[in-house]
Amino acid sequence: MINFKENEELNTLNHSCAHVMAQAVKHLYPQAKFWVGPVVEEGFYYDMDLGNDVIRDEDLPKIEKEMKKCCKADKLIVRHEITREEALEQFKDDPYKIDLIKRMPQGTNISMYTQGDYTDLCRGPHVKSTKQCRYFKLIKHSGAYWKGDKNNKVLQRIYGVCFPTQEELDDYLAQLEDAKQRDHRKLGKELQMFMFSETVGAGMPMWLPNGFTVRRTLSDYIMDKELAQGYIHVKTPSVASTKLYKISGHLAHYKDDMFPIMSRDGDEYVLRPMNCPEHMIIYKSTLHSYRELPVRIAEIADDFRYEASGALTGIERARSFTQNDSHIFCRPDQIADEIKNITHLILDVYKDFGFDDYSFRLSLRDVNNKDKYFGNDELWEKSEAQLREVLKEMGVKYYEAIGEAAFYGPKIDVQVHSAIGHEVTLSTIQLDYQLPERFELEYVDKDGSRKRPVVIHRAILGSLDRFIAFLLEETKGNLPLWLAPRQVVVIPVSPEAHGDYAAEIVKTLRSHGIHAELDDRNEKLGYRIREAQTSRIPVEVVVGDGEIKDHGVTVRRYGSKEEVKKSLDQFIADLDEEIKTKKH
């Protein structure tokens, strides 16, 4: 998807179109007062106070019609400057503009832009005339607190997009429609994978049978990968004493993102936001020799973070989620090899899922905001240099991002762009010298001395919830056979005449570990076939007199009209092979 904010031409055009929209709104709602109208990644918006009037969906076409009149008038957009005092006088009846003007230093000249009968404060730049803004579309509207403060009045916000040509606008609107159809929240509901309930709480997903099947498949998949690489799996509690998080530093550096402390019988507990502190305690429970290292502790763990309500995005960003987490305790001389092994594991997993559009980001500390982090400069510089060196050794292309490090150490993040335009982190590798110090972790070196291990935090699938959201949007809900919660549906032409044979097939498929189901409802054959397609079941099997006679099946794949006849044994062998090889 296009980033309007970063594209200089589109940025200028969309900011100009925001002014055209404000001009049109002013024509239709003379009492309107305006706050700000910036360009954002997805286009532009304008926040406005319309008094007692409320914008509804049916009002957007009316505003668009008036905008077209403003564009057709082809008014020049003219810049001029006035003094701060003149601006205060000109906008004396507009509290929103007065607030903006008063933030500007005394003696400042303020730039204004006028187009016909509409004038607004603005730094610019703008296009030459309103006619250049004629290829636009208003996308949606919502409420927004003035200045983003929930204690302030709710203003009305209208979003839109603008392009230089009608063709570009049409292409973008088609992309938006595709993104709408791919949105994991829509797909999750259609495929009955997960749900939310206000009674349960915002950001608290509940996984339905289909969704839980996918989660279990993913969990088994990644744990098998980890076991093959020498990981050991553990299970730790989702609630722990605040003592633990004081040692780890979470209460000092991460408290705002955690659920409130719970007090009981003089003790304090908190829902955990991540699993590193518990894994530190597990490592520390045993004295380790240098020969035992690395120790790779892994967990499929439930975590909780109090995300702001405005940041919640289905299961992509929730308050309750499950991480494919691991902490590797190693000697300093093992760091490079461990990070390389993790990177190879990430690439191996991405190959299984067919991911090829991703980038590596080296997330570093912001040295101008050191209060956000703990630890000394020497350890930070050392760990950042080590991650950078390993990436260069591997020949991995990467970019650096200041301020994206965890509060205890730098990290390598694997960034993907979802099909609906969100940039998300799927996998992460973090190098940490800080927590071993805080927890006083040790191993016995070859000379008998006690040394500090280094900890590598890593998540391959990251949050299972976010990973599934990404998968749904990438595949449009058409999950590959090995991952689909409903893999095969067997449909007898006549439930009475062919139902027993269909049931026998289902029983045989299930004995091979294949998720098969029988649709022997008293409905027309065409109806049952269409419903299987709508449900995105990868394989449909239709059986009638011919299939019973030949002890075979007629197979149709999702999205195809082609029908293939096979023996039952060959059909099962083909399914087993496709699932085993994780064909995508």
Side-chain angles (χ1 to χ4, degrees):
M1 297 292 281
I2 296 169
N3 187 323
F4 289 82
K5 196 171 183 180
E6 292 181 355
N7 185 303
E8 186 175 346
E9 179 186 10
L10 288 179
N11 191 315
T12 300
L13 182 63
N14 276 262
H15 188 52
S16 303
C17 195
H19 279 230
V20 171
M21 182 179 74
Q23 182 181 14
V25 168
K26 191 70 175 175
H27 290 171
L28 298 171
Y29 305 90
Q31 78 280 15
K33 292 181 171 59
F34 300 95
W35 171 229
V36 290
V39 175
V40 289
E41 289 185 8
E42 61 269 26
F44 67 84
Y45 71 77
Y46 222 123
D47 285 347
M48 57 195 74
D49 182 350
L50 302 183
N52 295 325
D53 285 317
V54 177
I55 295 293
R56 295 178 173 82
D57 290 346
E58 56 267 26
D59 295 318
L60 295 186
K62 180 174 64 175
I63 296 171
E64 287 180 335
K65 185 176 180 180
E66 188 63 28
M67 288 174 68
K68 288 176 182 177
K69 291 180 181 178
C70 295
C71 293
K72 189 175 181 180
D74 196 16
K75 296 294 184 181
L76 292 175
I77 303 175
V78 181
R79 182 183 187 277
H80 56 100
E81 291 186 357
I82 60 175
T83 65
R84 183 175 181 274
E85 290 69 30
E86 288 172 331
L88 288 171
E89 175 60 27
Q90 182 169 335
F91 292 97
K92 62 184 178 182
D93 297 325
D94 188 331
Y96 304 105
K97 298 302 181 188
I98 292 295
D99 181 82
L100 288 171
I101 296 166
K102 285 186 174 179
R103 297 186 193 186
M104 301 176 189
Q106 293 281 353
T108 300
N109 279 348
I110 296 173
S111 60
M112 314 279 284
Y113 281 84
T114 297
Q115 52 198 58
D117 58 359
Y118 180 75
T119 298
D120 202 354
L121 303 172
C122 191
R123 287 194 301 266
H126 284 278
V127 296
K128 290 183 179 180
S129 79
T130 57
K131 186 178 181 180
Q132 292 176 256
C133 301
R134 63 190 181 276
Y135 303 116
F136 66 84
K137 181 67 179 175
L138 299 186
I139 302 298
K140 61 181 179 179
H141 62 92
S142 66
Y145 292 113
W146 182 34
K147 301 183 184 179
D149 186 339
K150 64 181 180 180
N151 297 313
N152 286 341
K153 183 174 183 176
V154 176
L155 303 181
Q156 296 184 69
R157 176 176 292 180
I158 301 177
Y159 290 86
V161 293
C162 187
F163 283 88
T165 67
Q166 184 67 46
E167 182 180 13
E168 290 172 283
L169 175 62
D170 290 342
D171 287 346
Y172 183 75
L173 294 177
Q175 291 178 44
L176 284 185
E177 182 56 33
D178 182 62
K180 183 179 177 181
Q181 298 304 315
R182 289 178 180 270
D183 192 315
H184 78 271
R185 292 164 290 191
K186 177 179 183 292
L187 292 170
K189 184 175 182 180
E190 290 176 357
L191 300 176
Q192 297 180 318
M193 290 187 66
F194 57 85
M195 63 172 288
F196 290 89
S197 166
E198 291 183 6
T199 306
V200 174
M204 299 292 185
M206 291 182 290
W207 289 86
L208 304 175
N210 288 340
F212 183 78
T213 300
V214 175
R215 286 171 61 94
R216 191 186 67 180
T217 303
L218 283 174
S219 297
D220 291 346
Y221 162 80
I222 196 62
M223 285 197 288
D224 287 345
K225 291 270 191 185
E226 290 167 342
L227 286 169
Q229 294 203 359
Y231 286 79
I232 53 175
H233 291 97
V234 299
K235 184 65 179 173
T236 58
S238 297
V239 179
S241 168
T242 54
K243 297 173 188 174
L244 180 67
Y245 299 107
K246 286 176 182 176
I247 297 172
S248 69
H250 285 86
L251 279 182
H253 293 269
Y254 207 75
K255 187 177 181 181
D256 290 345
D257 295 301
M258 296 169 67
F259 276 79
I261 292 171
M262 299 173 282
S263 298
R264 191 84 175 189
D265 299 330
D267 293 321
E268 291 184 334
Y269 296 89
V270 70
L271 285 167
R272 68 175 177 196
M274 51 192 71
N275 323 297
C276 359
E278 288 85 351
H279 290 188
M280 304 295 145
I281 297 297
I282 288 177
Y283 174 87
K284 192 174 181 178
S285 67
T286 304
L287 184 61
H288 299 274
S289 161
Y290 73 96
R291 290 191 182 92
E292 296 174 62
L293 271 54
V295 173
R296 305 182 184 100
I297 298 175
E299 181 173 8
I300 303 294
D302 295 331
D303 292 326
F304 306 85
R305 298 177 189 173
Y306 199 81
E307 301 281 2
S309 58
L312 297 175
T313 313
I315 57 171
E316 180 185 300
R317 197 175 184 94
R319 289 172 175 165
S320 168
F321 59 97
T322 303
Q323 287 201 83
N324 157 226
D325 204 10
S326 175
H327 297 90
I328 299 170
F329 302 81
C330 64
R331 304 188 307 266
D333 63 289
Q334 296 172 319
I335 291 173
D337 284 342
E338 286 303 305
I339 292 176
K340 289 175 184 176
N341 290 339
I342 297 166
T343 304
H344 288 311
L345 177 57
I346 290 171
L347 296 177
D348 185 43
V349 168
Y350 286 13
K351 183 180 179 182
D352 283 345
F353 287 94
F355 297 164
D356 53 18
D357 185 14
Y358 52 85
S359 57
F360 284 80
R361 182 182 77 184
L362 179 56
S363 298
L364 308 172
R365 178 181 62 154
D366 181 358
V367 295
N368 296 315
N369 188 17
K370 291 184 179 180
D371 291 343
K372 183 180 174 182
Y373 314 92
F374 64 56
N376 60 57
D377 291 345
E378 181 182 353
L379 287 181
W380 271 96
E381 290 165 6
K382 180 180 180 180
S383 53
E384 288 179 348
Q386 286 178 306
L387 287 183
R388 190 180 286 111
E389 183 179 345
V390 173
L391 286 170
K392 288 179 179 178
E393 278 182 23
M394 294 186 70
V396 173
K397 290 184 179 180
Y398 69 95
Y399 66 97
E400 298 188 0
I402 304 297
E404 294 294 334
F407 67 85
Y408 48 78
K411 53 182 179 164
I412 298 169
D413 292 323
V414 186
Q415 302 296 110
V416 297
H417 280 88
S418 73
I420 66 171
H422 295 172
E423 181 179 335
V424 295
T425 301
L426 278 192
S427 309
T428 186
I429 308 169
Q430 304 171 6
L431 186 56
D432 180 10
Y433 286 89
Q434 315 288 353
L435 289 185
E437 289 289 340
R438 296 179 75 92
F439 282 93
E440 299 179 343
L441 304 184
E442 294 179 334
Y443 67 91
V444 180
D445 208 353
K446 62 179 67 177
D447 61 1
S449 62
R450 302 291 181 94
K451 298 286 181 62
R452 289 269 186 265
V454 180
V455 172
I456 301 173
H457 308 240
R458 56 107 284 209
I460 306 301
L461 301 184
S463 154
L464 293 186
D465 311 67
R466 180 178 293 176
F467 195 86
I468 291 172
F470 180 74
L471 267 179
L472 287 175
E473 292 175 358
E474 282 293 293
T475 64
K476 216 169 186 176
N478 308 324
L479 295 174
L481 180 67
W482 72 273
L483 194 56
R486 303 169 69 191
Q487 294 174 323
V488 180
V489 59
V490 182
I491 307 172
V493 174
S494 166
E496 292 80 11
H498 313 119
D500 289 345
Y501 180 58
E504 179 186 328
I505 293 173
V506 169
K507 184 178 179 180
T508 303
L509 290 173
R510 288 177 177 172
S511 71
H512 283 260
I514 295 166
H515 305 311
E517 57 192 68
L518 175 66
D519 188 352
D520 59 354
R521 293 174 296 165
N522 189 25
E523 299 284 356
K524 290 182 179 179
L525 177 63
Y527 175 85
R528 286 178 285 154
I529 290 175
R530 284 194 300 274
E531 188 166 281
Q533 288 280 313
T534 302
S535 300
R536 296 177 175 83
I537 299 175
V539 181
E540 301 163 31
V541 172
V542 178
V543 295
D545 291 338
E547 286 74 23
I548 293 176
K549 179 181 177 182
D550 299 334
H551 197 64
V553 291
T554 296
V555 181
R556 179 177 173 180
R557 301 300 297 243
Y558 173 78
S560 172
K561 293 182 179 179
E562 182 184 7
E563 295 182 345
V564 179
K565 294 184 181 295
K566 296 183 180 183
S567 69
L568 182 58
D569 289 343
Q570 184 61 55
F571 174 59
I572 293 172
D574 290 346
L575 290 181
D576 284 340
E577 179 66 15
E578 184 173 341
I579 292 169
K580 180 182 176 181
T581 58
K582 296 180 173 55
K583 183 178 178 181
H584 50 77

